[in-house]
Every structure is written in C-alpha cells, then in structure tokens.
Amino acid sequence: MKSYLNNNFNLHELVNVFDELPLWSAPFGLKLLEYINYKPNITALDIGFGAGFPLTEIAMRLGNSSTVYGIDPWKETFQRVNQKIYYYGISNIKLIEGVAETIPLENDSVDLITSNNGINNVSDIDKALSECTRIIKSGGQFVQTMNLDKTMIEFYNQLEIVLSAMKLYKEIELMYKHIKQKRPPLHDFLGLMQKHNFIVSDVVEDEFFYKFANATAMFNHYFICLAFMDSWIKLLPSEKVEDIFNTVETRMNDTAEEQGGIKLTVPFVMINAVKR
C-alpha cells in the first residue's frame, strides 16, 4: 500500500512540530514558494532554514528524487527540525550547521537556491552571494525574499523624534546605518545580484502589517523581543535606554489611543533570478 494511503497521525506528537508557518516568515515564504520552478531530480539549498520553514515544505514539494540541503548556524534548532523531518517522513533533506559565507558544497553542484529572509541577515552579504554564485549551476534558479528598509517605519519615526529631542544625533546616524546594513536599499541589492552573475527576472514587492493594541503590547511581544529589541538597545547609550523607550512607548501609546491601535508596516520583496 502507498504510504500516503495509510495515515495515522498521533495528535500528541503532532502538536510538538505543527508550526510550519510562524507569523513572521509566512508572508515572505508563501511568496517564495509561489516562484520556485519545481522539478524532479535536482539539488537544492535553503539558506537560513531556522525552525524548518520553508525547508521542509520545499523538500516535500520537490519529492524524493531531489536532494535538499539546509544550512543554518543556529545549532539549537537542529533537533527540532530533525523531529519534523522524522515525523513527516521526509527522506531527502540534509542539514548543514554553518553560514552562507562558507557553504560546504562543491562548485556548480546546486540547481536551486532559496532563502526566506535569510541573505539580508548574514554578516557579509557580498561574500554570501559570492558563495551562491560558486555553488549554483549556470541556469540555476535563486529565489529569495527580504524585508525592505521601511520595515516598521512607524517605530523608527518615533525613535528618531525622541533621539532628536534629546540631541542624540550620533545615535540617529547609527540607527540609519543599522537599517541599511540589515535591510539594504533594493536598488543596491539588485546591483549586488548582477555583480555576482545573476540575471534577475522577477522583482515582486508586497507588504503586511503587525497590528497591536498599543506600544506596550508591541514591545512585550516575544518576536519583537527576540528579533529586534537587542539590536535597538545596542544603538543607544546604556544609561539612557530606559528613558528613551519609556518616551517612545508613551508617544506610540498616545497614537494607539487616537487611532485605535498600532500598525507596523512590513514591506518586503521576492527576487527571482538565474545564474548566467
């Protein structure tokens, strides 16, 4: 009997792995999945697979005739991803603990590279793209997503107002430097793609929104704390961090009361390219 005709899901086990679409990565990932050219008998690499999305989804959509590598430096997540691989019965995934700047794969060995909001979060984007060029075959597809430089502009506008009032002009410069490093201007990033011998065929911009009752709820949200708060704090004088955030929170709470909540804009782009 075909294995898919004999489903016997253990719901107690399922609850430990059933989070394939975390709210942050889902909008990016759904757009990425839409543009992949799914073919049998290929080798693929997903850069920055995190907790397993979209790595496991791509592997299942490509099927067992293909091999899908996943690379990520977050070693603590490997057990969780392996649990998903085992539970879902996936046999075509190989996990690599490492970084995109040094990918342990042979030259011209990969047909498809994907990265869901991953390349823009590496330490050295230029070196990571150079590695992608090295390992991908001529004509190979490179599909990636990244959030753009106006991400959460509503927060950054308020932070700049507060820093300006406190005459912390150096910190304003650091804020913009941080934004550019983590979310390079789209034009600059497309130039890097061309520099590394990729022909961009599709550039699809979109956006979604993080909505909160107020700024207090926003600052206490686990993902804001996990993914953003530490980098924000590092931009500021340690002795003034609490005062700055108290003021920003108060200002944004006043706005939330007037407007019926807080809405943070998250613009992003899907880039579909092939290697020359």
Side-chain angles (χ1 to χ4, degrees), residues 34 36 51 149-150 212:
E34 181 182 344
I36 292 174
D149 53 1
K150 298 300 182 183
F212 301 88

Side-chain angles (χ1 to χ4, degrees), residues 16-17 49-52 74-87 95 97:
N16 293 319
V17 298
F49 61 81
W74 186 16
K75 64 180 180 180
E76 290 81 4
T77 196
F78 276 60
Q79 181 177 353
R80 185 67 185 278
V81 175
N82 277 318
Q83 184 182 9
K84 294 178 182 181
I85 291 170
Y86 170 78
Y87 186 82
L95 301 182
E97 182 184 338

Side-chain angles (χ1 to χ4, degrees), residues 111-129:
D111 303 280
L112 167 68
I113 297 175
T114 61
S115 182
N116 192 40
N117 207 24
I119 292 291
N120 56 309
N121 285 305
V122 303
S123 297
D124 189 330
I125 293 177
D126 188 69
K127 190 172 181 180
L129 290 177

Side-chain angles (χ1 to χ4, degrees), residues 37 42-47 100 103-115 128-144 193 196-199 271-276:
N37 296 326
I42 69 169
T43 300
L45 170 70
D46 184 44
I47 295 175
I103 303 173
L105 294 176
E106 298 294 329
N107 295 353
D108 304 314
S109 62
V110 171
D111 303 280
L112 167 68
I113 297 175
T114 61
S115 182
L129 290 177
S130 177
E131 276 290 87
C132 290
T133 301
R134 180 185 65 79
I135 68 168
I136 196 168
K137 300 174 184 177
S138 178
Q141 185 185 23
F142 187 5
V143 191
Q144 61 183 303
M193 293 287 292
H196 288 288
N197 216 23
F198 286 103
I199 302 171
I271 303 170
N272 182 23
V274 295
K275 181 182 174 183
R276 294 181 189 274

Side-chain angles (χ1 to χ4, degrees), residues 5-56:
L5 297 177
N6 187 25
N7 295 313
N8 185 24
F9 292 111
N10 183 320
L11 297 183
H12 294 291
E13 292 181 3
L14 178 62
V15 73
N16 293 319
V17 298
F18 194 67
D19 61 351
E20 295 302 286
L21 293 178
L23 289 175
W24 174 256
S25 60
F28 301 95
L30 291 174
K31 189 69 68 176
L32 180 148
L33 290 169
E34 181 182 344
Y35 279 83
I36 292 174
N37 296 326
Y38 297 96
K39 302 174 183 177
N41 301 300
I42 69 169
T43 300
L45 170 70
D46 184 44
I47 295 175
F49 61 81
F53 177 80
L55 171 67
T56 54

Side-chain angles (χ1 to χ4, degrees), residues 56 61 190 192 220 237:
T56 54
R61 293 192 185 197
L190 293 176
L192 276 177
N220 283 285

